[in-house]
Amino acid sequence: MESSLRFNIADRRLAFTGEEVIHEYNKDRIIEFNHRHRSALNNYDLSLEIASVRVLNENINVVSNLGAFRNRQLRESVALSAAMAAAGVSLWGRGSFAQLPPEKATKEAKEDLKRANDRTAAQIMAEVLHTTANKLSLGEEVLIASTITEGVRVKPGKEAGGNPTIAVGALFGKKHHRAQYGLPMPSNVTLLSMGNDVIDGTTKSVMGLHSSFTALFLTESGVKRHLPDIYVQRWMAGAYFPEFNPREVDLMGAAEIIAQAYGRNSLKGMSSFFLERSRHHLAMDTLNKAGVATPFDSDGDLFPALIMGLKEVSFPEGGHLDSMIGEIGGSAEWAVGALPLVWRGGQCLGMLTSQYSLTRTDLSFEEKWKSRFHFTEEEFMLMQDARFEQKPFFSIRDILEEPFAGGVAAFGAITDNYYLPALKGVSWDEADNTIHVDTLVVNSLGIMEIWHMTFKCHNSLKKTKSLMASPKMFLSGQTGKDLENAIKHFIDNSEIRWRFRLFFNNEYYPALIPVRDKIVLLHNALDTLVGRGALNEKDLEIIRITQSMAPHWFYNTD
């Protein structure tokens, strides 16, 4: 069903109607940027050549601060991490499935290509953070702990789960600080928490469709609760509304609370975003009957949260993207989108839903919606583990100790963005050896900017592209002794060993538990991942060889 109240976001694209405020980098600022980030840029044989910042929203959130992110190198490194990851995905895998001949365009091929794009993004994002955290000056050091990520869940009717990502438990910082994690840290070292969704809109990235991007945030706030990687129902708006228990307030009641937050006496003219999924049709129908528009997208539900309530962004016929009311999506996407939304003065609630019920194939979409809170015993255990049994819903304040502590979020555009048209996808010029990347940056003061950056390849675009390849690319065609030699090359070479270890942790995290500087390998988890198609026999071979060649990386659990 499509109508004036229900429409695909691609058919009625949002436009930025605010004042254009653009700050160009002069030569001195370019030189300073390249000096600050020379180690991270040298990983890919690049330097910044041209840059400008487009300011979207300068409204300062007076209850927040920048904290450690007063350090420009740290602040810029978040944007650089998102930008480099977007560039790598674009060079290696943007539109990869759309380019396959029809006879090879299978569901299995699509899943492999999606994993490849996630792998590239996770690898580069981790490399930039690793390099930056290792090079920060004494007195400005940080230790970054990955605490929120998309994990191992099987997506309803979509994919096997367990795609490469920067897993919970990953640490970035100097070796002696990583060894101290969990113990008293020197006063000159700032602990940071990281949330990431290495690609939001992974299907779009392999199809070459709009609005796919890399996503991460770093914050000084500690994490109070583990957020299980299962689907959550979400209520979000660009204006603050008081917390309410969604189990005690129906859909229309929630809509009225959010309308009141915007100072409206009627629901007419309101909009609420949804992913186009059968599980959402009943909620969309209900809201449409009340006059609430329900714009939808086929993939990616993180970015809409970033622009909710932004007055300078409007639909062609008028009106803004106001809210999500009852939309169901991933917990990582909720958290990574919720923090910058709260920085901007918005509000967000979430509630864990039943993954089991949403994955059932014997239920109609009405039945799925009605059974979204029918939890299995296993799911109740997850809720107990996360301490969500007393208060079944949560806000970002339930997840983070101090949401308004210093922080920065960044979103690197892989493809052109239909929510913020000025955010263009990665482009490159082989003749000129340049790469152009746009990144949306939101800081804890609530300021929103688009960073337009053009990088110059020192040697060639081909060389830079090769440096952005995941180690998996060099292993995928190898078998037997050749595979052993290739892995030995990575492990024996001190200059690239760290890249291989980042790959190993990002790729196989569902079956790994980090313990200090070692990892415990969960063999039963490996069997499960292979059984559902998330990993294959080649992965088992890579793991076996790595264990034999780098036994000091692992705890012996025999």
Side-chain angles (χ1 to χ4, degrees):
M1 170 185 174
E2 289 206 31
S3 67
S4 60
L5 291 179
R6 188 182 302 186
F7 55 88
N8 191 320
I9 204 89
D11 297 329
R12 301 187 199 174
R13 304 179 196 177
L14 290 151
F16 183 78
T17 57
E19 181 183 355
E20 294 282 350
V21 181
I22 301 178
H23 303 292
E24 302 283 349
Y25 277 32
N26 60 26
K27 183 178 179 180
D28 288 341
R29 196 166 179 185
I30 296 285
I31 291 172
E32 290 172 0
F33 184 97
N34 285 324
H35 178 71
R36 279 192 296 272
H37 303 285
R38 62 188 183 278
S39 295
L41 290 170
N42 283 344
N43 288 336
Y44 313 111
D45 201 37
L46 290 172
S47 59
L48 185 67
E49 186 174 66
I50 304 170
S52 63
V53 174
R54 182 187 304 246
V55 181
L56 301 178
N57 180 15
E58 287 187 301
N59 296 327
I60 300 293
N61 174 5
V62 296
V63 302
S64 192
N65 63 82
L66 281 178
F69 293 89
R70 291 188 301 271
N71 179 331
R72 182 171 287 179
Q73 182 179 2
L74 180 61
R75 189 169 67 250
E76 291 174 343
S77 71
V78 184
L80 186 63
S81 182
M84 291 293 94
V89 171
S90 300
L91 287 166
W92 278 107
R94 187 175 68 194
S96 53
F97 184 75
Q99 296 164 13
L100 290 177
E103 65 274 12
K104 293 185 177 181
T106 63
K107 180 182 178 181
E108 291 74 19
K110 180 183 281 189
E111 295 308 314
D112 287 345
L113 293 171
K114 287 169 66 175
R115 285 186 62 84
N117 278 4
D118 277 334
R119 179 181 301 117
T120 300
Q123 183 73 29
I124 296 173
M125 196 178 284
E127 287 175 2
V128 174
L129 295 174
H130 171 88
T131 303
T132 300
N134 270 285
K135 296 295 183 180
L136 287 173
S137 302
L138 185 68
E140 298 178 336
E141 296 154 301
V142 299
L143 182 60
I144 303 167
S146 180
T147 52
I148 294 170
T149 194
E150 185 173 74
V152 299
R153 63 186 155 88
V154 180
K155 296 187 178 182
K158 290 291 175 182
E159 57 193 52
N163 283 17
T165 191
I166 301 175
V168 169
L171 293 176
F172 302 98
K174 294 179 179 177
K175 186 175 182 180
H176 57 288
H177 294 147
R178 297 199 306 270
Q180 284 285 108
Y181 182 70
L183 301 173
M185 197 63 59
S187 59
N188 60 297
V189 179
T190 303
L191 289 174
L192 301 178
S193 301
M194 174 186 180
N196 76 91
D197 185 7
V198 292
I199 299 179
D200 187 65
T202 319
T203 299
K204 287 178 176 178
S205 76
V206 299
M207 296 300 296
L209 301 176
H210 69 93
S211 310
S212 62
F213 56 94
T214 60
L216 76 155
F217 69 73
L218 299 185
T219 174
E220 285 188 68
S221 177
V223 174
K224 288 198 294 188
R225 294 188 183 184
H226 167 62
L227 192 58
D229 182 43
I230 59 177
Y231 275 9
V232 300
Q233 190 170 359
R234 60 192 71 188
W235 298 263
M236 309 176 87
Y240 180 81
F241 56 86
E243 289 189 12
F244 60 88
N245 186 343
R247 296 295 294 271
E248 298 174 354
V249 176
D250 64 15
L251 199 67
M252 297 312 303
E256 288 167 2
I257 290 171
I258 291 174
Q260 290 168 10
Y262 281 110
R264 298 176 179 176
N265 296 320
S266 169
L267 297 182
K268 293 191 183 299
M270 282 276 291
S271 68
S272 181
F273 174 87
F274 284 85
L275 276 178
E276 172 48 36
R277 301 288 186 266
S278 63
R279 62 176 180 262
H280 293 145
H281 289 174
L282 188 60
M284 295 169 82
D285 290 342
T286 303
L287 291 169
N288 291 158
K289 287 176 183 176
V292 178
T294 54
F296 61 81
D297 202 347
S298 61
D299 185 34
D301 57 353
L302 194 164
F303 204 92
L306 306 178
I307 62 165
M308 278 183 190
L310 195 62
K311 295 178 180 178
E312 295 84 0
V313 175
S314 59
F315 291 108
E317 67 278 10
H320 311 287
L321 191 57
D322 298 316
S323 65
M324 292 185 190
I325 306 172
E327 200 265 355
I328 298 172
S331 57
E333 290 88 339
W334 179 88
V336 178
L339 187 57
L341 176 64
V342 167
W343 287 340
R344 292 180 40 236
Q347 169 68 310
C348 46
L349 299 181
M351 179 180 284
L352 301 179
T353 61
S354 172
Q355 194 78 5
Y356 169 76
S357 296
L358 290 174
T359 55
R360 287 180 61 178
T361 58
D362 60 330
L363 299 180
S364 67
F365 68 79
E366 292 96 343
E367 290 171 323
K368 284 187 179 184
W369 177 261
K370 292 175 181 177
S371 64
R372 64 195 185 279
F373 300 129
H374 293 177
F375 299 105
T376 64
E377 287 190 7
E378 199 172 60
E379 288 172 333
F380 272 120
M381 290 170 65
L382 278 173
M383 294 169 66
Q384 168 69 22
D385 177 54
R387 301 192 299 282
F388 287 129
E389 72 284 356
Q390 296 295 331
K391 180 186 176 185
F393 67 96
F394 49 86
S395 70
I396 199 70
R397 293 166 184 79
D398 295 307
I399 308 302
L400 299 178
E401 292 172 348
E402 297 177 72
F404 294 107
V408 172
F411 310 90
I414 298 168
T415 52
D416 290 354
N417 193 287
Y418 286 3
Y419 299 89
L420 280 177
L423 199 62
K424 302 297 183 184
V426 174
S427 60
W428 56 85
D429 185 332
E430 290 192 57
D432 202 30
N433 289 316
T434 54
I435 304 172
H436 180 86
V437 193
D438 283 355
T439 302
L440 174 68
V441 179
V442 187
N443 67 32
S444 50
L445 299 180
I447 296 174
M448 301 180 71
E449 300 170 332
I450 295 178
W451 293 18
H452 306 281
M453 295 179 283
T454 300
F455 297 92
K456 182 77 172 181
C457 307
H458 295 160
N459 288 283
S460 67
L461 184 66
K462 182 179 179 181
K463 171 74 178 297
T464 293
K465 179 180 177 180
S466 70
L467 292 171
M468 288 180 161
S470 163
K472 186 76 174 282
M473 292 187 185
F474 300 101
L475 304 178
S476 58
Q478 310 281 359
T479 58
K481 196 65 177 179
D482 290 335
L483 181 61
E484 290 184 9
N485 289 336
I487 293 174
K488 186 175 189 300
H489 170 70
F490 279 115
I491 292 174
D492 288 349
N493 189 321
S494 60
E495 293 184 1
I496 59 175
R497 182 188 304 126
W498 63 277
R499 294 192 71 241
F500 181 78
R501 183 142 188 191
L502 287 177
F503 148 74
F504 193 88
N505 291 345
N506 292 344
E507 185 83 7
Y508 304 121
Y509 71 92
L512 305 178
I513 295 179
V515 182
R516 296 295 179 201
D517 60 339
K518 295 188 178 185
I519 47 182
V520 176
L521 185 63
L522 307 176
H523 296 280
N524 289 339
L526 279 178
D527 293 339
T528 299
L529 289 163
V530 172
R532 75 184 197 208
L535 299 179
N536 56 36
E537 292 300 322
K538 171 58 71 67
D539 292 303
L540 296 183
E541 193 176 5
I542 291 171
I543 293 169
R544 178 188 60 77
I545 294 170
T546 302
Q547 269 194 298
S548 66
M549 292 189 174
H552 55 287
W553 289 6
F554 300 86
Y555 271 110
N556 186 350
T557 58
D558 292 340

